[in-house]
Amino acid sequence: DAGVIQSPRHEVTEMGQEVTLRCKPISGHNSLFWYRQTMMRGLELLIYFNNNVPIDDSGMPEDRFSAKMPNASFSTLKIQPSEPRDSAVYFCASSFPPDRDSSIGETQYFGPGTRLLVL
Amino acid sequence: AQSVTQLGSHVSVSEGALVLLRCNYSSSVPPYLFWYVQYPNQGLQLLLKYTSAATLVKGINGFEAEFKKSETSFHLTKPSAHMSDAAEYFCAVSLPSGNTPLVFGKGTRLSVIA
Protein backbone atom coordinates (compact mmCIF):
# COMPACT_ATOMS: atom_id res chain seq x y z
CA ASP A 1 0.00 0.00 0.00
CA ALA A 2 1.30 3.46 -0.89
CA GLY A 3 0.09 5.05 2.31
CA VAL A 4 -1.60 8.43 2.51
CA ILE A 5 -0.53 10.59 -0.39
CA GLN A 6 -0.40 14.37 -0.18
CA SER A 7 0.42 16.92 -2.83
CA PRO A 8 2.18 19.17 -3.25
CA ARG A 9 4.90 18.44 -0.68
CA HIS A 10 6.00 22.06 -0.68
CA GLU A 11 4.14 25.19 -1.69
CA VAL A 12 5.38 28.75 -1.73
CA THR A 13 2.87 31.41 -2.64
CA GLU A 14 2.21 35.08 -2.21
CA MET A 15 -0.36 36.57 0.09
CA GLY A 16 -3.77 36.74 -1.51
CA GLN A 17 -3.29 33.75 -3.77
CA GLU A 18 -5.46 30.65 -3.68
CA VAL A 19 -3.85 27.48 -2.36
CA THR A 20 -5.19 23.95 -2.85
CA LEU A 21 -3.82 21.02 -0.91
CA ARG A 22 -4.68 17.49 -1.96
CA CYS A 23 -4.95 14.18 -0.15
CA LYS A 24 -5.50 10.60 -1.22
CA PRO A 25 -6.32 8.36 1.76
CA ILE A 26 -5.41 4.70 2.07
CA SER A 27 -7.79 2.51 0.11
CA GLY A 28 -10.57 1.15 2.33
CA HIS A 29 -10.26 3.85 4.97
CA ASN A 30 -13.52 5.66 5.60
CA SER A 31 -12.33 8.53 7.77
CA LEU A 32 -10.11 11.40 6.74
CA PHE A 33 -8.61 14.09 8.94
CA TRP A 34 -6.86 17.39 8.15
CA TYR A 35 -4.43 18.65 10.78
CA ARG A 36 -2.19 21.71 10.83
CA GLN A 37 1.18 21.92 12.60
CA THR A 38 2.76 25.21 13.65
CA MET A 39 5.44 26.08 16.16
CA MET A 40 3.06 28.21 18.17
CA ARG A 41 -0.03 26.00 18.26
CA GLY A 42 1.39 22.53 17.67
CA LEU A 43 -0.80 19.94 15.94
CA GLU A 44 -4.45 20.87 15.70
CA LEU A 45 -7.45 19.41 13.92
CA LEU A 46 -8.96 21.47 11.13
CA ILE A 47 -11.75 19.20 9.89
CA TYR A 48 -12.61 15.53 9.56
CA PHE A 49 -14.86 13.40 7.38
CA ASN A 50 -16.54 10.05 7.92
CA ASN A 51 -17.76 8.31 4.77
CA ASN A 52 -17.08 11.51 2.78
CA VAL A 53 -19.34 13.60 5.04
CA PRO A 54 -17.83 16.47 7.08
CA ILE A 55 -18.39 15.71 10.76
CA ASP A 56 -16.60 18.52 12.57
CA ASP A 57 -15.15 21.64 10.97
CA SER A 58 -14.91 23.70 14.14
CA GLY A 59 -11.13 23.79 13.78
CA MET A 60 -11.22 25.57 10.45
CA PRO A 61 -9.78 29.00 11.22
CA GLU A 62 -12.18 31.12 9.20
CA ASP A 63 -14.14 31.34 6.01
CA ARG A 64 -10.98 31.53 3.97
CA PHE A 65 -10.56 27.80 4.59
CA SER A 66 -12.72 25.17 2.94
CA ALA A 67 -12.45 21.40 2.55
CA LYS A 68 -14.18 18.88 0.36
CA MET A 69 -14.25 15.13 -0.03
CA PRO A 70 -16.07 14.38 -3.29
CA ASN A 71 -15.35 10.65 -3.06
CA ALA A 72 -13.67 8.08 -0.86
CA SER A 73 -10.29 8.46 -2.52
CA PHE A 74 -9.77 12.21 -2.64
CA SER A 75 -9.97 15.31 -0.48
CA THR A 76 -8.92 18.93 -0.91
CA LEU A 77 -8.20 21.73 1.52
CA LYS A 78 -8.42 25.17 -0.03
CA ILE A 79 -7.28 28.51 1.33
CA GLN A 80 -8.56 31.59 -0.45
CA PRO A 81 -7.13 34.17 -0.05
CA SER A 82 -3.98 32.96 1.67
CA GLU A 83 -2.22 34.99 4.38
CA PRO A 84 1.27 34.74 5.90
CA ARG A 85 -0.19 33.38 9.15
CA ASP A 86 -1.40 30.33 7.20
CA SER A 87 2.20 29.20 6.82
CA ALA A 88 2.39 25.76 8.41
CA VAL A 89 2.66 22.06 7.68
CA TYR A 90 -0.70 20.56 6.75
CA PHE A 91 -1.18 16.85 7.39
CA CYS A 92 -3.83 14.52 6.10
CA ALA A 93 -4.57 11.29 7.97
CA SER A 94 -6.96 8.41 7.36
CA SER A 95 -8.28 5.45 9.34
CA PHE A 96 -10.28 2.25 8.93
CA PRO A 97 -13.87 1.87 10.10
CA PRO A 98 -13.79 0.97 13.81
CA ASP A 99 -15.82 -2.20 13.44
CA ARG A 100 -13.63 -3.66 10.75
CA ASP A 101 -10.90 -4.67 13.18
CA SER A 102 -10.93 -3.33 16.72
CA SER A 103 -7.16 -3.53 16.91
CA ILE A 104 -6.54 -1.11 14.08
CA GLY A 105 -9.70 0.91 13.68
CA GLU A 106 -8.43 3.64 15.96
CA THR A 107 -5.10 4.12 14.25
CA GLN A 108 -4.73 7.17 12.06
CA TYR A 109 -2.16 6.91 9.30
CA PHE A 110 -0.52 10.19 8.39
CA GLY A 111 0.69 11.48 5.07
CA PRO A 112 4.08 13.21 4.72
CA GLY A 113 2.48 16.65 4.93
CA THR A 114 2.44 19.76 2.76
CA ARG A 115 4.77 22.53 3.88
CA LEU A 116 3.10 25.82 3.00
CA LEU A 117 4.86 29.17 3.03
CA VAL A 118 2.83 32.30 2.31
CA LEU A 119 4.96 35.35 1.62
CA ALA B 1 -13.10 18.21 26.50
CA GLN B 2 -9.85 16.34 26.23
CA SER B 3 -6.30 17.63 26.60
CA VAL B 4 -2.74 16.34 26.81
CA THR B 5 0.25 17.76 28.66
CA GLN B 6 3.73 16.64 27.77
CA LEU B 7 6.25 17.61 30.42
CA GLY B 8 9.49 18.79 28.89
CA SER B 9 9.68 20.18 25.38
CA HIS B 10 13.20 18.80 25.04
CA VAL B 11 14.77 15.72 26.61
CA SER B 12 18.39 14.76 26.13
CA VAL B 13 19.78 11.31 26.99
CA SER B 14 23.02 9.46 26.41
CA GLU B 15 23.10 6.54 24.03
CA GLY B 16 22.24 3.40 25.99
CA ALA B 17 20.45 5.29 28.74
CA LEU B 18 16.80 5.00 29.74
CA VAL B 19 14.34 7.10 27.77
CA LEU B 20 11.37 8.51 29.70
CA LEU B 21 8.94 10.88 28.02
CA ARG B 22 6.08 12.08 30.16
CA CYS B 23 2.46 12.47 29.17
CA ASN B 24 -0.56 13.37 31.30
CA TYR B 25 -4.05 13.55 29.92
CA SER B 26 -7.42 14.95 30.83
CA SER B 27 -10.61 13.31 29.62
CA SER B 28 -14.20 13.19 30.83
CA VAL B 29 -14.56 9.64 29.50
CA PRO B 30 -12.16 6.68 29.46
CA PRO B 31 -9.76 7.65 26.71
CA TYR B 32 -7.80 6.03 23.97
CA LEU B 33 -4.15 7.11 24.15
CA PHE B 34 -1.42 7.16 21.53
CA TRP B 35 2.24 7.92 21.07
CA TYR B 36 3.41 9.06 17.65
CA VAL B 37 6.96 9.80 16.46
CA GLN B 38 7.91 12.39 13.86
CA TYR B 39 11.27 12.41 12.13
CA PRO B 40 12.42 15.63 10.44
CA ASN B 41 10.35 16.61 7.42
CA GLN B 42 8.18 13.51 7.71
CA GLY B 43 4.68 12.64 8.80
CA LEU B 44 3.70 11.04 12.08
CA GLN B 45 4.19 7.32 12.68
CA LEU B 46 2.33 5.39 15.36
CA LEU B 47 4.57 3.97 18.07
CA LEU B 48 1.88 2.41 20.25
CA LYS B 49 -1.67 2.85 21.49
CA TYR B 50 -3.85 2.08 24.48
CA THR B 51 -7.46 1.17 23.74
CA SER B 52 -8.71 -0.18 27.09
CA ALA B 53 -7.08 -3.60 26.90
CA ALA B 54 -3.76 -4.25 28.67
CA THR B 55 -2.48 -1.24 30.60
CA LEU B 56 1.12 -1.95 29.62
CA VAL B 57 1.42 -1.44 25.92
CA LYS B 58 4.39 -2.47 23.82
CA GLY B 59 5.13 -0.70 20.57
CA ILE B 60 7.65 -0.60 17.79
CA ASN B 61 11.38 0.06 18.15
CA GLY B 62 11.47 -1.20 21.74
CA PHE B 63 9.18 1.47 23.19
CA GLU B 64 6.46 0.79 25.71
CA ALA B 65 3.99 2.83 27.76
CA GLU B 66 1.85 2.18 30.79
CA PHE B 67 -1.64 3.56 31.25
CA LYS B 68 -2.17 4.67 34.86
CA LYS B 69 -5.70 5.84 35.42
CA SER B 70 -5.07 7.02 38.99
CA GLU B 71 -2.29 9.29 37.78
CA THR B 72 -3.93 10.14 34.43
CA SER B 73 -0.59 9.34 32.85
CA PHE B 74 0.70 7.48 29.81
CA HIS B 75 4.48 7.84 29.97
CA LEU B 76 6.66 6.46 27.16
CA THR B 77 9.80 4.50 28.01
CA LYS B 78 12.63 2.64 26.32
CA PRO B 79 15.33 0.84 28.32
CA SER B 80 18.24 1.80 26.10
CA ALA B 81 18.34 4.80 23.79
CA HIS B 82 19.74 4.53 20.30
CA MET B 83 20.95 7.35 18.10
CA SER B 84 18.13 6.60 15.67
CA ASP B 85 15.57 7.42 18.39
CA ALA B 86 16.31 11.14 18.05
CA ALA B 87 13.01 12.65 16.88
CA GLU B 88 9.90 14.52 18.03
CA TYR B 89 7.42 12.49 20.07
CA PHE B 90 3.75 13.32 20.43
CA CYS B 91 1.26 11.99 22.93
CA ALA B 92 -2.38 12.11 21.83
CA VAL B 93 -5.81 11.33 23.25
CA SER B 94 -9.10 10.52 21.60
CA LEU B 95 -12.59 9.45 22.51
CA PRO B 96 -13.01 5.71 23.16
CA SER B 97 -14.34 4.95 19.71
CA GLY B 98 -12.81 4.70 16.32
CA ASN B 99 -12.66 7.42 13.73
CA THR B 100 -12.58 10.39 16.09
CA PRO B 101 -9.99 13.16 16.05
CA LEU B 102 -6.76 13.07 18.00
CA VAL B 103 -5.92 15.81 20.48
CA PHE B 104 -2.16 16.18 20.62
CA GLY B 105 0.29 17.38 23.21
CA LYS B 106 2.88 19.98 22.26
CA GLY B 107 5.50 17.34 21.63
CA THR B 108 8.87 16.43 23.16
CA ARG B 109 12.05 16.56 21.17
CA LEU B 110 14.37 13.72 22.08
CA SER B 111 18.09 14.15 21.55
CA VAL B 112 20.47 11.20 21.94
CA ILE B 113 24.09 11.96 22.76
CA ALA B 114 26.84 9.57 21.69
Side-chain angles (χ1 to χ4, degrees):
Chain A
D1 200 322
V4 176
I5 299 173
Q6 291 187 247
S7 64
R9 291 293 309 275
H10 303 274
E11 178 81 25
V12 180
T13 190
E14 293 187 346
M15 182 174 62
Q17 297 298 306
E18 177 180 296
V19 176
T20 300
L21 311 181
R22 297 174 176 80
C23 175
K24 177 178 171 57
I26 294 172
S27 177
H29 286 196
N30 77 326
S31 291
L32 184 140
F33 305 81
W34 283 101
Y35 294 93
R36 179 171 68 175
Q37 184 177 35
T38 62
M39 289 294 292
M40 293 297 294
R41 300 174 65 88
L43 276 156
E44 53 183 351
L45 177 77
L46 297 176
I47 185 172
Y48 79 103
F49 299 82
N50 281 346
N51 297 313
N52 311 336
V53 175
I55 303 300
D56 182 358
D57 66 354
S58 60
M60 297 285 263
E62 48 200 88
D63 292 345
R64 298 185 297 106
F65 285 69
S66 63
K68 295 181 179 180
M69 191 165 187
N71 57 62
S73 59
F74 185 66
S75 177
T76 60
L77 177 67
K78 186 174 295 186
I79 308 172
Q80 167 63 22
S82 58
E83 297 182 2
R85 58 186 167 142
D86 302 330
S87 298
V89 182
Y90 291 81
F91 288 104
C92 176
S94 67
S95 63
F96 279 116
D99 58 352
R100 170 173 166 151
D101 183 330
S102 62
S103 68
I104 64 173
E106 305 83 8
T107 300
Q108 293 183 22
Y109 296 82
F110 282 74
T114 294
R115 189 173 297 272
L116 173 65
L117 178 60
V118 183
L119 302 174
Chain B
Q2 298 180 305
S3 66
V4 171
T5 301
Q6 290 185 242
L7 297 176
S9 59
H10 184 207
V11 171
S12 184
V13 300
S14 298
E15 191 174 19
L18 172 71
V19 176
L20 172 59
L21 305 183
R22 300 178 185 274
C23 171
N24 288 89
Y25 69 91
S26 173
S27 179
S28 56
V29 298
Y32 284 175
L33 292 159
F34 306 79
W35 276 99
Y36 280 84
V37 61
Q38 183 180 30
Y39 297 100
N41 299 316
Q42 294 186 26
L44 280 73
Q45 179 185 6
L46 181 71
L47 278 177
L48 50 79
K49 63 182 179 182
Y50 166 78
T51 56
S52 72
T55 57
L56 181 62
V57 181
K58 294 186 183 299
I60 62 172
N61 302 338
F63 285 94
E64 64 180 38
E66 185 172 8
F67 172 69
K68 292 186 177 181
K69 182 179 178 181
S70 61
E71 299 177 8
T72 61
S73 69
F74 191 57
H75 301 331
L76 182 70
T77 61
K78 181 174 180 178
S80 176
H82 192 272
M83 297 296 289
S84 60
D85 295 327
E88 188 92 16
Y89 292 80
F90 293 92
C91 182
V93 63
S94 76
L95 294 173
S97 60
N99 294 19
T100 58
L102 297 169
V103 175
F104 287 91
K106 293 295 187 184
T108 298
R109 183 162 61 89
L110 175 67
S111 297
V112 181
I113 303 169

